[in-house]
Amino acid sequence: MEKDLIEYIAKSLVDDPGAVSVTEAEGDKSTVLELRVAEGDIGKVIGKYGRIAKALRTVLSASASKSGTRYSLEILD
């Protein structure tokens, strides 16, 4: 569910929604979501001063709190 949420928001933000991919990596205590976008769209996902990235992480933690699991979001080049 959280993976689909981040993917949906990211596709809404970028110019090339076909290049958006989100993968899950299970860790010991949390799950890491890795977000990849096209090279030209990386700034749109991070935002000025990282505001959009912070907002994505806030939405992710709010969504994950219902299920009781911890998620973290990494934006990869």
Side-chain angles (χ1 to χ4, degrees), residues 2 10 25-26 30 40-41 45 49 52 55 61 64-65 72 74:
E2 284 78 11
E26 294 288 331
S30 67
D41 291 330
V45 174
Y49 303 112
I52 294 176
S61 69
S65 67
S72 62
E74 291 185 8

Side-chain angles (χ1 to χ4, degrees), residues 2 4 9 16 18-22 44 50 52 62 66-67 74 77:
E2 284 78 11
D4 298 331
I9 294 171
D16 185 11
V20 173
S21 69
V22 179
K44 293 181 180 180
I52 294 176
K66 283 189 169 186
S67 63
E74 291 185 8
D77 298 342

Side-chain angles (χ1 to χ4, degrees), residues 12-23:
S12 300
L13 293 171
V14 299
D15 290 333
D16 185 11
V20 173
S21 69
V22 179
T23 56

Side-chain angles (χ1 to χ4, degrees), residues 45-47 50-58 73 75:
V45 174
I46 294 174
R51 288 181 181 159
I52 294 176
K54 184 177 179 183
L56 284 170
R57 290 183 176 107
T58 302
L73 177 66
I75 301 170

